[in-house]
Amino acid sequence: MTTDHPTDNAPPKIRLTDWTNEPTLAQLKRDHQDAQVETSQHNENIDRWLDNLNITGTAKLPKQKNRSSVQPKLIRKQAEWRYSSLSEPFLSTPDIFNVSPVTYEDRRAAQQNELVLNHQFNNQLNKVKLIDDYIHTAVDEGTVIVRVGWELEEEEVTKEVPVFAEQSLDPYDPSHNQFVQQLQELMSLAQADPEAFEAAPEEMKRSVQRTMELGYPIEVYISEYKTVTENKVVKNQPTAEVCDYNDVVVDPSCKGDAEKAKFIVYRFTTSLEELRSAGLYENLDSIQVTNNSPLAQADENDPDNMSFNFKDEPRKKFYAYEYWGYWDIHGNGTVKPIVATYVGDTLIRMEENPFPDKKIPFVIVPYLPVKNSLYGEPDGELIKDNQDIVGAVTRGMIDILGSVANGQRGYRKDALDALNRRRFEQGKDYEFNSNVDPRMAFHTHAFAEIPVSAQFMHQHQSAEADSMTGVKSFGAGISGNALGDTATGVRGALDAASKRELGILRRLANGIVAIGRKFISMNSQFLSDEEIIRVTNEKFVAIKREELAGSFDLKLSISTAEEDNAKAQELAFMLQTTGPSSDPAEVRMIRAEIARLRKMPDLAKKIEEYQPQPDPIQQQKAALELEELKVQIAKLQAETQKIFSEINLNAAKADETTSKADRNNLDFLQEESGVNQERELQKQGAQARANIQLEAAKAALSPKQQSTQN
């Protein structure tokens, strides 16, 4: 923080930044005051809508003697029917966000963001209060403004932490074999399942890391414990607050698009103690607490109790203003997102926008949009005249009834004398004068009949209000004729009302989606390195901060009761037409979806996870039938093999018969052609020659044998 020396007698200008073109407090206030004119006009409309809603202020009739001042709350009645029908789609499901990745690479990040968002809405934020405030503000005021922020709380804690030491191991030493085997198993686990590896003891993880770094076994062990003091994160979560319409001033030049607003000024109530504990503000000693107290600004329309404030300086409440906008801080013609906070004439904060998306942290949602306007209108603007007419007719009917002395009796003066009048007043028998007809002498006052035209006007205006808002407030009673005379007419009326309500829901859901997108951007920067998110009662998923970045399609799981009922009926019809031969898994899917549409998530989960247990008798019967089929198949296979073998045997016999016939034919031909005789002659000739040769051989051997003997 630097101080520029003044040139004249003006007070020195305290600089909170080193920007070349730091905006002055006068420039910030000028933007605030210029935009306040249009904002004040809209705030007057909201005041009028709220007066008509609650019959207060200008809508409350003054008391008049002998006249009714009743004003029926027609707008409030319509709003009460609207609250639950709009809030229930957001609150009926535990997980309202569905995050889809734009690219395949962002698939895991989308799953992680869905877990984080649903956990934050269900457990860290008061979802019921947030949605109720969100819906009530939109229905009552026509516009809801949500301020998104981040809350971080830390506290110092003292704890004992281990001191690690390490030693190298001999891989050939048998005493180290078990530890070395554990190291190898953890190394494999670190590559196959990193999440399971993270569950290992810290000293074992360090041992694996050092072993992989050095290339030989290292044992890391705890040598001692030491006491340290560190900051523990108590709360680290996003926040969403529905703002009061008197506390927000928006740039009027945005022409109905909040994304184009160049600045938004937000007023909040704080104290010196709160500002010091936040750690974001400077120059707090220069704040004039008394001059900026809510009690000192009587013209402000603050819904809080304005008659109380603390007396001590640290707790005394005062107004502070946050300026979120864009400014040419470097003087080069390019604007940057900034935030500045001031109290009265004292600047206490000046810095660039700390949020990752660099956008103004406000979400503005209109209930019924108005062209070229940032703000919307409530249903009360549509049916204000109907409420006034219903009130006038109601007061007229009450005045008719109230001006009559109901139950009071009167009688003619000449009907009774003094004695009989006393007996008449005492409830005893009496005598009346003979010249007076008692039927004409006595009269009992009763309520006058209300004109049919008054009743018709009352019903007509109530029906007109219903048609304007699309809300059926059962003005004609809860009966079949309340919605129409025919089923087609009833369905048409419900469809039209459902479409109108669904259109409102889409705008409100778009605001919740915008809040979710801001949460995603903040989670990627402000979450601690690892947040443990409860998924189920048994399963925990570790959320890495670096995995939360990516491009996503953010959707909400919302629908109206009528739409869910129509879907459930269609699915029930599909279930009826599937027939008994349908797949049981398909039937379970349809039944689970019907249970989910009927707002029975537990039953839907049970149906999805249900696995029917087979009947033991049926199991045994099926096993026996299977065995019987196996026997039949084996019998058929044996018969088939026998048939094939017989076919082969017959084929062999046929071949043998064919060859025998061929041989007989050949013998016949050879016999007829003389081939057999020729062969026989050749055979005999060969035999004769052989015999001659044998005799010659014997003759040749005979002389030698004789000479040998000699």
Side-chain angles (χ1 to χ4, degrees), residues 355-386:
F355 294 110
D357 60 356
K358 300 302 179 182
K359 296 181 181 179
I360 299 175
F362 289 87
V363 176
I364 303 176
V365 182
Y367 180 76
L368 298 178
V370 179
K371 185 178 180 180
N372 293 331
S373 176
L374 189 66
Y375 306 102
E377 292 180 341
D379 290 332
E381 177 67 15
L382 304 178
I383 60 175
K384 193 265 181 185
D385 293 337
N386 301 104

Short mmCIF file of all heavy atoms in Angstrom, two decimals, residues 355-386:
data_model
loop_
_atom_site.label_atom_id
_atom_site.label_comp_id
_atom_site.label_asym_id
_atom_site.label_seq_id
_atom_site.Cartn_x
_atom_site.Cartn_y
_atom_site.Cartn_z
N PHE A 355 -11.46 -15.15 -8.85
CA PHE A 355 -12.11 -16.38 -9.29
C PHE A 355 -11.50 -16.86 -10.61
O PHE A 355 -11.15 -16.05 -11.47
CB PHE A 355 -13.61 -16.18 -9.44
CG PHE A 355 -14.29 -15.90 -8.13
CD1 PHE A 355 -14.80 -14.64 -7.85
CD2 PHE A 355 -14.42 -16.88 -7.17
CE1 PHE A 355 -15.42 -14.38 -6.65
CE2 PHE A 355 -15.04 -16.63 -5.96
CZ PHE A 355 -15.54 -15.38 -5.69
N PRO A 356 -11.41 -18.17 -10.79
CA PRO A 356 -10.72 -18.70 -11.98
C PRO A 356 -11.39 -18.32 -13.30
O PRO A 356 -10.70 -18.14 -14.30
CB PRO A 356 -10.76 -20.22 -11.76
CG PRO A 356 -10.95 -20.41 -10.30
CD PRO A 356 -11.79 -19.24 -9.85
N ASP A 357 -12.71 -18.22 -13.33
CA ASP A 357 -13.37 -17.90 -14.60
C ASP A 357 -13.31 -16.42 -14.94
O ASP A 357 -13.71 -16.01 -16.03
CB ASP A 357 -14.83 -18.35 -14.57
CG ASP A 357 -15.63 -17.67 -13.46
OD1 ASP A 357 -15.04 -16.90 -12.67
OD2 ASP A 357 -16.85 -17.92 -13.37
N LYS A 358 -12.82 -15.60 -14.00
CA LYS A 358 -12.64 -14.16 -14.21
C LYS A 358 -13.96 -13.46 -14.57
O LYS A 358 -13.95 -12.44 -15.27
CB LYS A 358 -11.59 -13.89 -15.30
CG LYS A 358 -10.22 -14.45 -14.98
CD LYS A 358 -9.67 -13.92 -13.67
CE LYS A 358 -8.31 -14.49 -13.34
NZ LYS A 358 -7.79 -14.01 -12.03
N LYS A 359 -15.05 -14.00 -14.08
CA LYS A 359 -16.35 -13.39 -14.33
C LYS A 359 -16.94 -12.86 -13.03
O LYS A 359 -16.51 -13.24 -11.94
CB LYS A 359 -17.32 -14.40 -14.95
CG LYS A 359 -16.90 -14.89 -16.34
CD LYS A 359 -17.92 -15.86 -16.89
CE LYS A 359 -17.51 -16.37 -18.27
NZ LYS A 359 -18.49 -17.34 -18.83
N ILE A 360 -17.92 -11.99 -13.16
CA ILE A 360 -18.59 -11.45 -11.98
C ILE A 360 -19.36 -12.58 -11.30
O ILE A 360 -20.13 -13.29 -11.94
CB ILE A 360 -19.53 -10.30 -12.39
CG1 ILE A 360 -18.73 -9.17 -13.04
CG2 ILE A 360 -20.31 -9.78 -11.20
CD1 ILE A 360 -19.57 -8.05 -13.58
N PRO A 361 -19.16 -12.79 -9.99
CA PRO A 361 -19.73 -13.97 -9.31
C PRO A 361 -21.20 -13.82 -8.94
O PRO A 361 -21.60 -14.02 -7.78
CB PRO A 361 -18.85 -14.09 -8.07
CG PRO A 361 -18.49 -12.70 -7.75
CD PRO A 361 -18.31 -12.00 -9.08
N PHE A 362 -22.02 -13.47 -9.91
CA PHE A 362 -23.46 -13.34 -9.67
C PHE A 362 -24.20 -14.05 -10.79
O PHE A 362 -23.80 -13.98 -11.96
CB PHE A 362 -23.89 -11.87 -9.61
CG PHE A 362 -23.43 -11.15 -8.37
CD1 PHE A 362 -22.19 -10.54 -8.33
CD2 PHE A 362 -24.24 -11.09 -7.25
CE1 PHE A 362 -21.76 -9.88 -7.19
CE2 PHE A 362 -23.83 -10.44 -6.11
CZ PHE A 362 -22.58 -9.83 -6.07
N VAL A 363 -25.27 -14.72 -10.42
CA VAL A 363 -26.16 -15.39 -11.37
C VAL A 363 -27.54 -14.77 -11.22
O VAL A 363 -28.10 -14.76 -10.12
CB VAL A 363 -26.22 -16.91 -11.13
CG1 VAL A 363 -27.23 -17.55 -12.07
CG2 VAL A 363 -24.84 -17.53 -11.31
N ILE A 364 -28.07 -14.22 -12.31
CA ILE A 364 -29.37 -13.53 -12.29
C ILE A 364 -30.33 -14.31 -13.16
O ILE A 364 -30.05 -14.57 -14.34
CB ILE A 364 -29.22 -12.08 -12.79
CG1 ILE A 364 -28.19 -11.33 -11.94
CG2 ILE A 364 -30.56 -11.36 -12.75
CD1 ILE A 364 -27.91 -9.92 -12.40
N VAL A 365 -31.47 -14.69 -12.58
CA VAL A 365 -32.44 -15.53 -13.28
C VAL A 365 -33.81 -14.85 -13.23
O VAL A 365 -34.32 -14.58 -12.13
CB VAL A 365 -32.54 -16.93 -12.64
CG1 VAL A 365 -33.51 -17.81 -13.41
CG2 VAL A 365 -31.17 -17.57 -12.57
N PRO A 366 -34.44 -14.55 -14.37
CA PRO A 366 -35.80 -13.98 -14.36
C PRO A 366 -36.85 -15.08 -14.27
O PRO A 366 -36.67 -16.18 -14.80
CB PRO A 366 -35.87 -13.24 -15.70
CG PRO A 366 -34.96 -14.03 -16.59
CD PRO A 366 -33.85 -14.58 -15.73
N TYR A 367 -37.94 -14.77 -13.61
CA TYR A 367 -39.06 -15.71 -13.49
C TYR A 367 -39.91 -15.68 -14.77
O TYR A 367 -40.06 -16.69 -15.45
CB TYR A 367 -39.88 -15.36 -12.27
CG TYR A 367 -41.08 -16.25 -12.02
CD1 TYR A 367 -40.92 -17.52 -11.49
CD2 TYR A 367 -42.36 -15.82 -12.30
CE1 TYR A 367 -42.01 -18.34 -11.26
CE2 TYR A 367 -43.46 -16.63 -12.07
CZ TYR A 367 -43.28 -17.89 -11.55
OH TYR A 367 -44.36 -18.69 -11.33
N LEU A 368 -40.45 -14.52 -15.09
CA LEU A 368 -41.14 -14.30 -16.36
C LEU A 368 -40.34 -13.23 -17.10
O LEU A 368 -40.33 -12.07 -16.68
CB LEU A 368 -42.58 -13.84 -16.15
CG LEU A 368 -43.50 -14.82 -15.41
CD1 LEU A 368 -44.89 -14.21 -15.23
CD2 LEU A 368 -43.60 -16.14 -16.15
N PRO A 369 -39.62 -13.57 -18.17
CA PRO A 369 -38.72 -12.62 -18.80
C PRO A 369 -39.44 -11.40 -19.37
O PRO A 369 -40.59 -11.48 -19.82
CB PRO A 369 -38.06 -13.44 -19.92
CG PRO A 369 -38.33 -14.86 -19.59
CD PRO A 369 -39.61 -14.88 -18.83
N VAL A 370 -38.74 -10.29 -19.34
CA VAL A 370 -39.20 -9.04 -19.95
C VAL A 370 -38.17 -8.64 -21.00
O VAL A 370 -36.96 -8.65 -20.73
CB VAL A 370 -39.36 -7.92 -18.90
CG1 VAL A 370 -39.81 -6.63 -19.56
CG2 VAL A 370 -40.37 -8.34 -17.84
N LYS A 371 -38.63 -8.32 -22.18
CA LYS A 371 -37.71 -8.02 -23.28
C LYS A 371 -36.80 -6.84 -22.93
O LYS A 371 -37.24 -5.82 -22.40
CB LYS A 371 -38.52 -7.70 -24.55
CG LYS A 371 -37.66 -7.49 -25.78
CD LYS A 371 -38.51 -7.23 -27.02
CE LYS A 371 -37.65 -7.02 -28.25
NZ LYS A 371 -38.46 -6.77 -29.46
N ASN A 372 -35.50 -7.05 -23.23
CA ASN A 372 -34.47 -6.02 -23.01
C ASN A 372 -34.37 -5.59 -21.56
O ASN A 372 -33.96 -4.47 -21.27
CB ASN A 372 -34.71 -4.79 -23.90
CG ASN A 372 -34.53 -5.09 -25.37
OD1 ASN A 372 -33.76 -5.97 -25.75
ND2 ASN A 372 -35.26 -4.37 -26.21
N SER A 373 -34.76 -6.46 -20.66
CA SER A 373 -34.64 -6.14 -19.24
C SER A 373 -33.94 -7.28 -18.54
O SER A 373 -34.14 -8.47 -18.85
CB SER A 373 -36.02 -5.93 -18.62
OG SER A 373 -35.91 -5.71 -17.22
N LEU A 374 -33.08 -6.92 -17.60
CA LEU A 374 -32.38 -7.93 -16.82
C LEU A 374 -33.29 -8.60 -15.81
O LEU A 374 -33.03 -9.72 -15.37
CB LEU A 374 -31.18 -7.28 -16.11
CG LEU A 374 -30.19 -8.19 -15.41
CD1 LEU A 374 -29.47 -9.07 -16.41
CD2 LEU A 374 -29.20 -7.38 -14.59
N TYR A 375 -34.34 -7.92 -15.45
CA TYR A 375 -35.23 -8.40 -14.40
C TYR A 375 -36.49 -9.01 -15.00
O TYR A 375 -36.90 -8.67 -16.12
CB TYR A 375 -35.61 -7.26 -13.46
CG TYR A 375 -34.41 -6.52 -12.89
CD1 TYR A 375 -34.02 -5.28 -13.40
CD2 TYR A 375 -33.68 -7.07 -11.86
CE1 TYR A 375 -32.93 -4.61 -12.89
CE2 TYR A 375 -32.58 -6.40 -11.33
CZ TYR A 375 -32.21 -5.18 -11.86
OH TYR A 375 -31.13 -4.52 -11.35
N GLY A 376 -37.11 -9.90 -14.25
CA GLY A 376 -38.35 -10.53 -14.67
C GLY A 376 -39.52 -10.03 -13.86
O GLY A 376 -39.41 -9.12 -13.04
N GLU A 377 -40.66 -10.65 -14.09
CA GLU A 377 -41.90 -10.29 -13.40
C GLU A 377 -42.47 -11.52 -12.71
O GLU A 377 -42.33 -12.64 -13.22
CB GLU A 377 -42.94 -9.74 -14.37
CG GLU A 377 -42.59 -8.40 -14.97
CD GLU A 377 -43.65 -7.90 -15.94
OE1 GLU A 377 -44.46 -8.75 -16.40
OE2 GLU A 377 -43.68 -6.70 -16.24
N PRO A 378 -43.14 -11.35 -11.58
CA PRO A 378 -43.80 -12.48 -10.92
C PRO A 378 -45.22 -12.65 -11.44
O PRO A 378 -45.74 -11.84 -12.22
CB PRO A 378 -43.77 -12.07 -9.45
CG PRO A 378 -43.90 -10.58 -9.50
CD PRO A 378 -43.16 -10.14 -10.75
N ASP A 379 -45.87 -13.73 -10.99
CA ASP A 379 -47.27 -13.93 -11.34
C ASP A 379 -48.16 -12.83 -10.78
O ASP A 379 -49.23 -12.56 -11.33
CB ASP A 379 -47.75 -15.28 -10.80
CG ASP A 379 -47.11 -16.44 -11.55
OD1 ASP A 379 -46.78 -16.25 -12.74
OD2 ASP A 379 -46.95 -17.52 -10.96
N GLY A 380 -47.72 -12.20 -9.70
CA GLY A 380 -48.53 -11.14 -9.09
C GLY A 380 -48.79 -9.97 -10.01
O GLY A 380 -49.82 -9.30 -9.90
N GLU A 381 -47.87 -9.70 -10.95
CA GLU A 381 -48.09 -8.62 -11.90
C GLU A 381 -49.23 -8.94 -12.85
O GLU A 381 -49.93 -8.03 -13.32
CB GLU A 381 -46.78 -8.38 -12.69
CG GLU A 381 -46.87 -7.31 -13.76
CD GLU A 381 -47.08 -5.91 -13.20
OE1 GLU A 381 -46.87 -5.72 -11.97
OE2 GLU A 381 -47.45 -5.01 -13.99
N LEU A 382 -49.46 -10.23 -13.12
CA LEU A 382 -50.50 -10.63 -14.06
C LEU A 382 -51.89 -10.62 -13.42
O LEU A 382 -52.88 -10.35 -14.11
CB LEU A 382 -50.21 -12.04 -14.60
CG LEU A 382 -48.85 -12.25 -15.27
CD1 LEU A 382 -48.70 -13.70 -15.69
CD2 LEU A 382 -48.69 -11.33 -16.47
N ILE A 383 -51.97 -10.94 -12.15
CA ILE A 383 -53.29 -11.13 -11.52
C ILE A 383 -53.55 -10.10 -10.43
O ILE A 383 -54.41 -10.30 -9.57
CB ILE A 383 -53.40 -12.55 -10.93
CG1 ILE A 383 -52.32 -12.79 -9.88
CG2 ILE A 383 -53.30 -13.59 -12.03
CD1 ILE A 383 -52.46 -14.13 -9.19
N LYS A 384 -52.84 -8.97 -10.49
CA LYS A 384 -53.07 -7.92 -9.49
C LYS A 384 -54.49 -7.37 -9.61
O LYS A 384 -55.20 -7.18 -8.60
CB LYS A 384 -52.03 -6.82 -9.68
CG LYS A 384 -51.95 -5.82 -8.54
CD LYS A 384 -52.77 -4.58 -8.79
CE LYS A 384 -52.63 -3.59 -7.65
NZ LYS A 384 -53.51 -2.42 -7.80
N ASP A 385 -54.95 -7.11 -10.83
CA ASP A 385 -56.30 -6.59 -11.02
C ASP A 385 -57.34 -7.62 -10.58
O ASP A 385 -58.38 -7.25 -10.00
CB ASP A 385 -56.53 -6.22 -12.49
CG ASP A 385 -55.67 -5.04 -12.91
OD1 ASP A 385 -55.26 -4.26 -12.03
OD2 ASP A 385 -55.39 -4.91 -14.12
N ASN A 386 -57.10 -8.88 -10.85
CA ASN A 386 -58.04 -9.92 -10.41
C ASN A 386 -58.16 -9.94 -8.89
O ASN A 386 -59.25 -10.11 -8.34
CB ASN A 386 -57.59 -11.29 -10.92
CG ASN A 386 -57.48 -11.33 -12.44
OD1 ASN A 386 -56.39 -11.29 -12.98
ND2 ASN A 386 -58.62 -11.41 -13.12
#
